[in-house]
Amino acid sequence: MSIRLLLVDDHTIFRSGLKRLFQDEPDIAITGEAANAGDALGLLRRQAFDLVLLDISLAGRSGLELLASLRADGLGTPVLVLSMYPEQQYALPAIQAGAMGYLPKDAEPDELLRAIRRVAGGAQYLSAQAAALVRQVLQGDDQRLPHERLSVREHQIMQMLVKGMSLTDIGLEMMISVKTVSTHRGHILDKLGVGSNAELVLYAVRQGLVS
């Protein structure tokens, strides 16, 4: 019996690439696709899946916010997060939000297939690096840098601020109010210990977050 997989990612080309990867796997079948959290939640309410393969960065509500909605709705479909964000930043928040596994998008195909089968079977999957990080943080030894402790939304907004985007443009891009963007900006500055957008850019350059 095939693993019925819901693929949630807002990049059409990436979804197409994964579909090609799974074509040669008789035990894995993509039976649903969604580009945003709302569509994904609707599919999960109407249709049975064995696994959700979820990106964190989505237009509108993030993948972590979708995980919270799944928990609130009592939907227990296992979730494997596949993200462009590094493990040291989002593996722990993803697991705390209810995901059963976390992989970066640059993982090898064989590892992705192994993770899908493991999580669909009810077990957790983390790389050795992610598992060590989660263990350290849970033991009170959090050595992550300040920007690695930002939430998904804060990280997205930080990147836009560093690019010089206005609060209005960021709000339009993320489909949230300017007031909400401003609130997130304040939290970002506080967490990174900087006092202005100029200092934020300098921090990002020093940390190698921008070229």
Side-chain angles (χ1 to χ4, degrees), residues 93-134:
I95 296 302
Q96 290 175 326
M100 290 287 288
Y102 188 101
L103 272 182
K105 282 188 172 179
D106 60 359
E108 292 295 326
D110 286 348
E111 184 177 15
L112 173 58
L113 294 171
R114 185 163 61 250
I116 287 172
R117 292 175 177 123
R118 184 174 177 86
V119 172
Q124 190 179 75
Y125 188 94
L126 290 171
S127 69
Q129 178 183 359
L133 171 67
V134 170

Side-chain angles (χ1 to χ4, degrees), residues 24-128:
D24 297 328
E25 305 300 323
D27 62 331
I28 298 174
I30 295 178
T31 56
E33 292 182 56
N36 57 64
D39 289 347
L41 193 58
L43 281 170
L44 285 162
R45 286 168 174 164
R46 299 191 304 269
Q47 197 172 331
F49 296 94
D50 300 306
L51 176 74
V52 180
L53 190 59
L54 175 65
D55 188 11
I56 284 182
S57 179
L58 300 171
R61 296 163 62 201
S62 73
L64 293 187
E65 290 171 310
L66 174 58
L67 281 167
S69 295
L70 296 181
R71 180 178 289 178
D73 278 17
L75 297 170
T77 308
V79 176
L80 171 62
V81 171
L82 184 63
S83 174
M84 62 177 281
Y85 294 117
E87 294 166 299
Q88 65 266 28
Q89 184 154 6
Y90 288 126
L92 179 61
I95 296 302
Q96 290 175 326
M100 290 287 288
Y102 188 101
L103 272 182
K105 282 188 172 179
D106 60 359
E108 292 295 326
D110 286 348
E111 184 177 15
L112 173 58
L113 294 171
R114 185 163 61 250
I116 287 172
R117 292 175 177 123
R118 184 174 177 86
V119 172
Q124 190 179 75
Y125 188 94
L126 290 171
S127 69

